[in-house]
Amino acid sequence: MERPYRRRIQLVRRLLVKSGAEALVVTHPPNIFYLSGFSGSAGALLIEPHGVTLFIDGRYTTQAREETADARLRITRGSLLTAVGERLRKSERARVAMEPAHMSVAQHRELKRVADAKIRWVALWGPVEELRAVKGADEIAQMRQAARLGCQVFEKVLPLVKPGVREVELAAEIEYRMRQGGASGAAFPTIVASGARAALPHAQPTKKRLRKNELVVLDLGAILAHYCCDLTRTVYLGRAPSGIRRWYQAVQEAQAAARDALCAGVAAGEVDAAARRVLKRFRLDRHFLHSTGHGLGLEVHEEPRLAKGQKKIIQAGNVVTLEPGVYIEGVGGIRSEDDVAVFSDRTETLTSAPRDLLEL
Ligand SMILES: [Mn+2]
């Protein structure tokens, strides 16, 4: 695989020129990885017109040498941001950009204290996230693998989904199998929510045992070679009554409508509206408690957001989840989630786990 970092840095520099800044300080680890290949959990990347410097501490020297070729390494003894500030002072930068979404007030104060007081700080909202939203072919290939692993884990765990097992046991089993399959970890705490708890979209697994005649929502994400997948399926333990089947049907149709609406050139809010219209037809729209989906990549929640009123235009290279759901307090919930890559002329659903209602 050709190292993509040089091109990405060029794109960032172009954004910097537009904003009038000469340099950008990056501290968010996924952004540092995206721009340099360094995957350590702490570092600071300084992008200047004629160089890129990665500031790390001594714990990461070997790793940084292995992972980065295009950035100059600065191994610091003290604080990373103090070193960045000193560098900015010496190079006499006048306008420097930072990412307010990723820098604490304390960190910014530290930078300002060390760097020249005359520096004008420019707040750039999500410049790297904008680039990350548009995946290259290599990234999509990696996400295909992550999605495949997620689906394999789901299918392997299905035989264990039965009355008597505890939610926490199933969640642990899911995360164990992800790791066995090569994942570096779960992209988020695995959700196993049964019975009335399935009505909580972000339920934490508990010691509750699964029982017959309950809905069970399983929501899992694996990180494989840095890229995430995000998969949700809802199963029924026993034979589902007609009311539950109707809800399930509604969620499936809402997801299909979102998938049909999703294409390069459409507004993100339109995809959300397509799912919502279907649920309204089933009179379930007020039970749909979240947005239809979100971008997915190095992080599990990225741009673009498929939410009500979002005007952002879907582009070829976006990878998003489509995950409508209905949640009925005291009864249970149903969510179905797939990961979909957008190309200029088509979409590809990366997750292949069965979508029909499974009655176990
Ligand atoms: Mn999701």
Side-chain angles (χ1 to χ4, degrees):
M1 183 168 116
E2 197 193 319
R3 289 177 69 82
Y5 310 110
R6 209 165 289 196
R7 197 185 69 85
R8 292 173 182 171
I9 295 283
Q10 274 173 6
L11 293 173
V12 170
R13 286 201 178 110
R14 229 177 272 169
L15 293 175
L16 285 180
V17 169
K18 249 197 243 168
S19 71
E22 301 154 73
L24 171 68
V25 181
V26 181
T27 51
H28 187 47
N31 287 351
I32 292 176
F33 173 76
Y34 183 77
L35 295 173
S36 74
F38 174 64
S39 67
S41 53
L45 195 70
L46 179 64
I47 298 168
E48 294 173 291
H50 299 290
V52 178
T53 313
L54 175 63
F55 296 78
I56 50 160
D57 65 66
R59 291 174 298 171
Y60 293 110
T61 309
T62 308
Q63 183 182 348
R65 281 193 186 129
E66 281 170 7
E67 291 180 336
T68 61
D70 308 312
R72 209 179 307 127
L73 282 187
R74 266 291 310 275
I75 297 139
T76 68
R77 279 170 189 279
S79 147
L80 296 174
L81 287 177
T82 296
V84 174
E86 281 165 0
R87 160 90 200 177
L88 289 172
R89 194 182 43 194
K90 275 185 211 140
S91 55
E92 298 182 355
R93 300 279 166 221
R95 283 173 70 94
V96 179
M98 51 90 179
E99 301 175 284
H102 302 301
M103 187 166 289
S104 70
V105 174
Q107 287 174 319
H108 194 210
R109 272 193 198 143
E110 183 184 344
L111 263 179
K112 284 200 288 194
R113 180 175 53 78
V114 183
D116 196 315
K118 288 197 292 276
I119 286 184
R120 289 268 309 276
W121 291 92
V122 181
L124 278 190
W125 290 92
V128 189
E129 279 81 353
E130 285 301 312
L131 301 178
R132 278 172 46 196
V134 178
K135 274 79 179 170
D138 289 340
E139 293 182 283
I140 292 178
Q142 200 52 63
M143 296 189 70
R144 231 177 246 127
Q145 300 294 322
R148 181 175 305 161
L149 173 60
C151 293
Q152 282 168 350
V153 168
F154 174 76
E155 299 206 19
K156 276 192 200 154
V157 165
L158 261 187
L160 309 174
V161 182
K162 52 189 179 194
V165 67
R166 294 181 194 273
E167 292 173 351
V168 279
E169 289 168 347
L170 271 182
E173 196 65 41
I174 287 169
E175 295 186 10
Y176 173 64
R177 285 173 195 243
M178 283 179 193
R179 297 296 293 255
Q180 272 196 320
S184 59
F188 54 88
T190 302
I191 295 171
V192 178
S194 62
R197 295 193 49 76
L200 284 65
H202 271 184
Q204 296 284 323
T206 66
K207 282 156 105 179
K208 177 190 170 298
R209 292 182 195 277
L210 273 50
R211 281 192 300 256
K212 206 167 156 52
N213 301 320
E214 278 184 345
L215 286 161
V216 186
V217 174
L218 301 133
D219 187 350
L220 58 99
I223 307 172
L224 186 68
H226 306 286
Y227 285 87
C228 301
C229 67
D230 193 358
L231 173 75
T232 307
R233 289 291 182 267
T234 303
V235 302
Y236 193 81
L237 297 183
R239 257 192 75 75
S242 61
I244 299 268
R245 284 171 183 280
R246 192 175 155 277
W247 292 348
Y248 196 89
Q249 180 68 22
V251 170
Q252 293 307 304
E253 285 186 25
Q255 199 199 30
R259 195 182 290 116
D260 288 346
L262 180 67
C263 65
V266 74
E270 277 304 307
V271 182
D272 180 78
R276 241 166 255 285
R277 268 196 299 273
V278 172
L279 291 173
K280 194 173 169 86
R281 185 152 52 73
F282 280 85
R283 297 177 193 272
L284 287 168
D285 47 317
R286 70 188 179 89
H287 296 289
F288 181 22
L289 303 178
H290 48 75
S291 56
T292 296
H294 52 85
L296 185 70
L298 293 173
E299 289 179 278
V300 74
H301 293 118
E302 295 193 352
E303 294 297 325
R305 316 272 161 171
L306 306 181
K308 219 180 226 174
Q310 275 283 329
K311 294 193 171 63
K312 192 169 280 183
I313 302 299
I314 298 295
Q315 300 177 63
N318 287 161
V319 178
V320 295
T321 68
L322 298 177
E323 51 175 310
V326 297
Y327 307 92
I328 318 283
E329 209 183 324
V331 180
I334 294 170
R335 177 166 68 251
S336 212
E337 176 180 38
D338 285 286
D339 305 341
V340 183
V342 180
F343 296 96
S344 59
D345 55 345
R346 68 193 167 93
T347 61
E348 176 188 339
T349 303
L350 307 181
T351 37
S352 60
R355 265 170 225 110
D356 291 337
L357 178 59
L358 293 173
E359 298 172 297
L360 307 172

